[in-house]
Amino acid sequence: MEVFPLRQGAQTADTDGAMHGCLFCKSGSESEIVRKFEFLFPGSRAIVPLKTRYRRMGGEAREEDVPMLPGYVFFETEQDLNLRKLLRTQSVYRLLCYGDGDWRLHGSDDQFAALLFGMNGKIGISKAFYDEGERIRVIDGLMKEYEGFIIRVNRRARTAEIRIPFQDKQVSMWLGFELIDKVQA
């Protein structure tokens, strides 16, 4: 598994020994899986990471919340769980595991999940400005933690594509940003 560090001084949730895992399920059924997970495992939490993005309607940009990683449900627990009953749910395709069969996220994967839980699964609009024309400089928000992983910027849509390693795969996500004046930075 490839491990990458968060930006120096990055904020992660104080999880007090909590373990994180991830389920892959049918897109659109994430909220149902969260409810079922929390019913079956009281004291444990599950989230569907949502991102706020701008959507243009009638020439006006409006904010809306959409799944950041469609089909993925992250969970946090302090106990070893028997997930068989949940995995029998038709909408759950699989529990993400490492090569040794361990479902507990570790390294950068665990840091990413802890960061999501620290934000209660809600990823807002980051604040950024353009430095010397083309290079985006992020000063606030989730994109700040992953600024070095930005691979493309769509100025018109005010989004940036970030590609990070997760579970031995490259995962891309488009996150929204708000342009501010450099003097505010």
Side-chain angles (χ1 to χ4, degrees), residues 15-36:
T15 56
D16 294 325
M19 298 175 282
H20 298 101
C22 187
L23 297 162
F24 182 59
C25 62
K26 180 180 175 183
S27 290
S29 66
E30 297 95 343
S31 295
E32 167 199 340
I33 301 304
V34 166
R35 284 190 298 276
K36 188 164 188 170

Side-chain angles (χ1 to χ4, degrees), residues 9-10 13 38 52 63 74 79 115 163 167 173 177:
E38 291 180 346
T52 303
E63 290 183 5
F74 289 82
Q79 56 193 348
L115 187 63
R163 187 171 295 150
Q167 287 273 312
M173 54 191 135
F177 64 88

Side-chain angles (χ1 to χ4, degrees), residues 24-120:
F24 182 59
C25 62
K26 180 180 175 183
S27 290
S29 66
E30 297 95 343
S31 295
E32 167 199 340
I33 301 304
V34 166
R35 284 190 298 276
K36 188 164 188 170
F37 179 90
E38 291 180 346
F39 174 77
L40 290 172
F41 308 108
S44 297
R45 292 179 21 184
I47 58 169
V48 177
L50 298 175
K51 66 179 178 179
T52 303
R53 72 173 183 185
Y54 291 110
R55 180 175 198 103
R56 296 194 183 278
M57 299 170 103
E60 185 178 315
R62 295 185 181 164
E63 290 183 5
E64 69 177 358
D65 292 334
V66 296
M68 183 171 77
L69 298 166
Y72 290 88
V73 173
F74 289 82
F75 61 91
E76 179 178 78
T77 184
E78 292 188 6
Q79 56 193 348
D80 208 5
L81 302 175
N82 182 350
L83 297 164
R84 285 189 185 125
K85 195 171 196 176
L86 183 66
L87 294 174
R88 289 187 195 130
T89 304
Q90 258 190 334
S91 299
V92 177
Y93 295 141
R94 70 175 192 259
L95 172 66
L96 299 185
C97 295
Y98 294 96
D100 62 2
D102 190 7
W103 59 262
R104 293 171 296 208
L105 298 176
H106 45 78
S108 61
D109 295 341
D110 187 53
Q111 288 176 331
F112 179 64
L115 187 63
L116 293 175
F117 275 94
M119 301 174 96
N120 289 319

Side-chain angles (χ1 to χ4, degrees), residues 106-172:
H106 45 78
S108 61
D109 295 341
D110 187 53
Q111 288 176 331
F112 179 64
L115 187 63
L116 293 175
F117 275 94
M119 301 174 96
N120 289 319
K122 179 87 160 83
I123 312 307
I125 303 284
S126 295
K127 291 184 188 313
F129 65 88
Y130 283 101
D131 187 22
E132 299 170 15
E134 294 298 316
R135 186 157 170 19
I136 189 171
R137 292 281 191 198
V138 184
I139 62 165
D140 186 37
L142 181 70
M143 282 177 50
K144 178 69 177 164
E145 309 301 331
Y146 295 100
E147 188 172 8
F149 294 89
I150 296 173
I151 60 170
R152 270 192 300 186
V153 175
N154 182 330
R155 286 181 182 225
R156 186 178 109 8
R158 293 185 272 177
T159 58
E161 183 180 11
I162 297 172
R163 187 171 295 150
I164 63 170
F166 182 76
Q167 287 273 312
D168 293 331
K169 295 178 184 158
Q170 292 294 315
V171 177
S172 290

